[in-house]
Amino acid sequence: MFFKTIDFSKYASIKVGQPTEVLMIEKDDVIPRDRYLIGGANNLLISPTPPPLMMLSKDFAYIREEDDLLEIGAAMPTGRIVSYAKRYNIAGFEFCSKLPGTLGGMLAMNAGVKAYEIFNILESVQINGQWIEKEKIEHSYRYAVLGGVATAARFRKRSGFDEALLKELLSLRTNQPTDPSAGSAFKNPPGDYAGRLIEAVGLKGYRVGDMAWSEIHANFLVNLGKGTYEEAVTLLELAKERVSEAFGVILQEEIKRL
């Protein structure tokens, strides 16, 4: 183990935060129970007073094939997973091209795009050193209870990387803002879209300081310069309040506040 100072105003995808000491976990280390595990910080909103943080080192960024299984370390970036699948004609990982970050982050929130999500193709997860079958892990839409630190996952190999599907999924990015954000701020409620609801209550493009609800997609909280945690929280709470009053819908945050 060793400490590394990470400046979240540069590292986090939403560019909010400050230099913070993060404990880096190496292979064979005993993983602490009193720290919050972060990955690529693509759906995180770091406060001025975050809890003690830790991160998996490059020791956990690997892909290994064993018989008909593909084992991937939790620190492996999604882009490299897609590149590997494409190179070796492995099906099922095309949707990862739409999702930034690492495999660990995808597992922690059952990340996905439309009907595609990581638990659909998952076989088992290594949690606190033990392999656990996915059926024994509580999960649903954008939700998973790992009950510990995931360091790797296994997938059943299927041949046939789908280039057409890859292009289709990548084309979905055209309706997403290019400003720094943490991805979708809220989960889509059953039968509806968080972005539609936020727009319907007049918040699309609404700005507080340097944080705003994007004018391109209302469910994206974007940083227009030097946005702060407090400004972001103000907008999150305002959206929840207005949508609840107007539609009786309680929006659930997909973004993680630390």
Side-chain angles (χ1 to χ4, degrees), residues 16 24 50 79 101 127 196 199:
V16 170
M24 304 299 293
I127 301 173
R196 187 196 76 80
E199 185 172 352

Side-chain angles (χ1 to χ4, degrees), residues 220-240:
F220 277 69
L221 189 61
V222 294
N223 188 343
L224 301 176
K226 296 186 180 298
T228 67
Y229 176 82
E230 291 77 12
E231 292 164 357
V233 168
T234 297
L235 287 169
L236 289 168
E237 294 300 330
L238 181 62
K240 287 194 284 188

Side-chain angles (χ1 to χ4, degrees), residues 37-48:
L37 183 71
I38 61 169
N42 285 281
N43 71 324
L44 296 183
L45 190 56
I46 305 288
S47 78

